[in-house]
Amino acid sequence: MAPQTTFSRKEIEGKPGMVILNGRAMDVSGFAKFHPGGEKLLLDESGRDITKLFYSLHRHEVFEKYESRLTKGLVEGHNAKSDPENWTDASRVPFAEVAAMQGFKGAGTYTEQDHKF
């Protein structure tokens, strides 16, 4: 991403659908209706820095997947040195991502064999 704009935190606070994630100003308003956790849940966080919340529920790969499409610029004064060195290990939630994203084969398909103990 080549940041074209820099936003102050104050500017983001006043824009519906804008959030701060990893020091980036991101517009999630168009994505919200597709958010697996629900549109309201995501839009309720408008104007806030959702970095810690995001990584408590998602793996870094999710950020990388949407970064270029949702990023509108950088947040003024963000210090990348304060970010953890490796966001990939941030989520401790075992099922925060669908099984297919965790590498399980046949995720989402069940057979009678799956129900046998």
Side-chain angles (χ1 to χ4, degrees), residues 19-73:
V19 295
I20 299 169
L21 181 56
N22 281 359
R24 285 141 179 92
M26 302 182 93
D27 184 352
V28 297
S29 55
F31 170 76
K33 63 184 166 201
F34 302 106
H35 185 248
E39 180 177 17
K40 182 177 179 346
L41 181 85
L42 188 57
L43 293 178
D44 282 352
E45 297 301 322
S46 290
R48 299 186 182 142
D49 187 333
I50 63 166
T51 304
K52 286 183 182 179
L53 175 62
F54 179 87
Y55 283 109
S56 72
L57 299 168
H58 302 85
R59 294 164 43 144
H60 185 65
E61 291 85 358
V62 177
F63 169 75
E64 291 173 330
K65 180 178 179 180
Y66 296 104
E67 177 185 17
S68 64
R69 287 184 264 176
L70 303 179
T71 300
K72 299 301 177 193

Side-chain angles (χ1 to χ4, degrees), residues 4-32:
Q4 57 281 40
T5 307
T6 301
F7 293 87
S8 70
R9 290 182 180 271
K10 190 81 170 163
E11 287 176 298
I12 294 167
E13 286 173 15
K15 293 187 184 235
M18 290 289 286
V19 295
I20 299 169
L21 181 56
N22 281 359
R24 285 141 179 92
M26 302 182 93
D27 184 352
V28 297
S29 55
F31 170 76

